[in-house]
Amino acid sequence: MIVLASSYHYMQLPREVIVGKGAIARIPEVVQRLGLTGSAMIVAGQKSFEVAGKKVQDLLESNSISVSVVRVNTATIKDVTFVEEQIKAEKPSVLFGVGGGSKIDAAKLSSAERGIPYVSVPTTLSHDGIASPLASVKGLGKPYSVMVQAPLAIIADTEVIAMAPWRSVVSGCGDTISKFTAVRDWRLAQADKNEYYGEYAASLALMSARLVMRNAGLIQPGNEEGLRVLLEALISCGVAMSIAGSSRPCSGSEHLFSHALDLIDGGKAMHGEQCGVGAILAAYLHGGNWRRIRSTLREFNAPTSAIGLGVEDEDVVRALEMAASVRPERYTILHKLGLSREGCEKAAKNTGVIG
Ligand SMILES: [Zn+2]
């Protein structure tokens, strides 16, 4: 991890981003351009190795790069330690994280800890972690993501991503739409707490949310162009976080609601689905256009209620009530309002999130 004096603003950005049908086939030229020699390590799950990891391995090996493969199924501190031990033993010059959330998170943190770069090869579009410099790892004592390092390159093959369950795309849309309220919270923190606010990073996150909102008709099963829109929006969100130097442009009260719900029910719904519902609630609390967020989520067939998330009404109210305490230092509308239980219930009822 990189530590700089607080007077500096540090940005770490991806160097190469390749998006499109068959993008994985471009890996050898990317490796060559980046000057990566010696050996590589692939971190993948069983499924992600089958759909993409094996191809990455073959391409690297046919270009004289020796490859070792490490399988992980989750992103716990145990998984990260295991990958770190493999890095120590094999001494690869680069790590490839192939998969959805957990494999990329495990690759991200372990490579940062061992001081080597990692390349993100996403197989799903369920959230913006595929391109962000933050990792969410269980066992770190924090239910939210922490800053680690940005990917050196992102190779996103829409042919591979199209094979993932549609629900993961819906989740990615929810995560992107939730930037509307994340940025509002960030602005609020600047106004009330004089927190650093970066206009450029905020604009980038908002642009991603608008892009997805505008292209709802395109982001439909079987439409490769729609996947590309979402993919580029998620990558822009990752870059926004790199520029901000924190998750601020992409994570506000709606994310705190999602983290609280994870703590309450163990994460029954997907991250982006929960953040989408959180964004409806957060927009309502901000006095914003929560109906527009709700109607956009409906266009994607994303959940907009407790029933849609598969949770009890009571859990939604509890999550909203405890959300601010999940991260007391991240000032949001929830911290400003300090809602009572009744206030939380009223917000959830008025937005139709609970019956
Ligand atoms: Zn998110």
Side-chain angles (χ1 to χ4, degrees), residues 115-266:
I116 60 168
Y118 91 97
V119 175
S120 173
V121 185
T123 57
T124 76
L125 297 183
S126 55
H127 58 80
D128 58 25
I130 56 170
S132 79
L134 294 102
S136 175
V137 173
K138 283 199 175 84
L140 286 179
K142 289 172 182 154
Y144 49 87
S145 308
V146 291
M147 280 301 277
V148 278
Q149 69 167 343
L152 179 62
I154 303 162
I155 318 284
D157 192 327
T158 47
E159 212 163 40
V160 169
I161 286 159
M163 288 190 270
W166 187 251
R167 192 179 167 192
S168 60
V169 174
V170 171
S171 171
C173 291
D175 198 20
T176 313
I177 295 297
S178 79
K179 310 319 176 203
F180 283 119
T181 50
V183 170
R184 282 195 85 134
D185 281 321
W186 197 13
R187 278 199 202 119
L188 185 72
Q190 185 201 30
D192 287 4
K193 300 284 171 189
N194 203 23
E195 196 182 299
Y196 161 78
Y197 172 79
E199 183 83 46
Y200 182 56
S203 303
L204 203 52
L206 281 180
M207 186 184 72
S208 305
R210 286 196 194 107
L211 204 70
V212 166
M213 188 178 254
R214 266 208 310 271
N215 287 286
L218 213 61
I219 306 173
Q220 300 297 333
N223 191 328
E224 205 246 342
E225 208 187 328
L227 286 184
R228 260 173 103 127
V229 169
L230 177 59
L231 190 47
E232 287 171 5
L234 291 172
I235 292 171
S236 295
C237 290
V239 171
M241 289 184 262
S242 286
I243 291 170
S246 81
S247 63
R248 254 304 189 185
C250 296
S251 171
S253 47
E254 73 301 315
H255 271 67
L256 295 178
F257 166 78
S258 173
H259 299 324
L261 207 50
D262 284 340
L263 293 171
I264 289 168
D265 71 12

Side-chain angles (χ1 to χ4, degrees), residues 31 33 45 59 84 117 154 172 205 234 251 268 273 287 290 303 311 343 355:
V31 165
R33 271 201 298 272
L59 282 162
E84 275 189 59
I154 303 162
L234 291 172
S251 171
K268 281 185 183 148
E273 294 176 324
W290 59 271
V311 302

Side-chain angles (χ1 to χ4, degrees), residues 3 8 15 149 202 212 220 280:
V3 180
Y8 293 99
R15 171 104 177 259
Q149 69 167 343
V212 166
Q220 300 297 333
I280 298 174

